[in-house]
Amino acid sequence: MLRQLTCYAPERLQAGMIQLALNRFFQPELSAGELNFMQNKMLQIEVSDIGLQFGISLDGCKLKVVLQPLHHNLLLKAELADFVAMISNQVDPDTLFFRRRLQMLGDTELGLYCKNLLDSIGPERLPLPVSASLNWLAQQHAALAQSQLADQCSEIQQHN
């Protein structure tokens, strides 16, 4: 369903919604100048399983979002469930990286700044409905993965 949304929703609407959400979420950090490390940098986020790619840069004292950016300093690429697990603090980004579930390509110093910033905020800042939805999505993904693993084990046992 989300893949269809990213395919058919107007790009300006998608970029505008992401930009609004990010600027609201990071308002305290933007006001305090804690995102100045993003000045003249482009962080590209790629959610591979739903076909969503967007770039985030700092434009003055606001974050600017561009879909399908032409260049980036850092690319973070993962599936939606992995981003959800990371945002909801169910999985550490380092764990995802070492399991090859999160790819980080480009300016690793920029990646470290971003990781440290997100670690300092934590998921408790998310509005309760968003936090509950993310937890539910993470639980659904875990249940689906466990079911798929059980099916694979069953197939292997049938072949033996």
Side-chain angles (χ1 to χ4, degrees), residues 143-156:
L144 179 62
Q146 189 173 11
S147 172
Q148 290 172 341
L149 182 61
D151 289 346
Q152 290 173 351
C153 289
S154 177
E155 286 179 27
I156 291 171

Side-chain angles (χ1 to χ4, degrees), residues 5 8-21 65 67:
L5 182 63
Y8 297 115
E11 287 188 0
R12 287 182 61 143
L13 177 65
Q14 291 180 53
M17 295 293 287
I18 295 168
Q19 185 169 300
L20 178 65
V65 171
L67 294 185

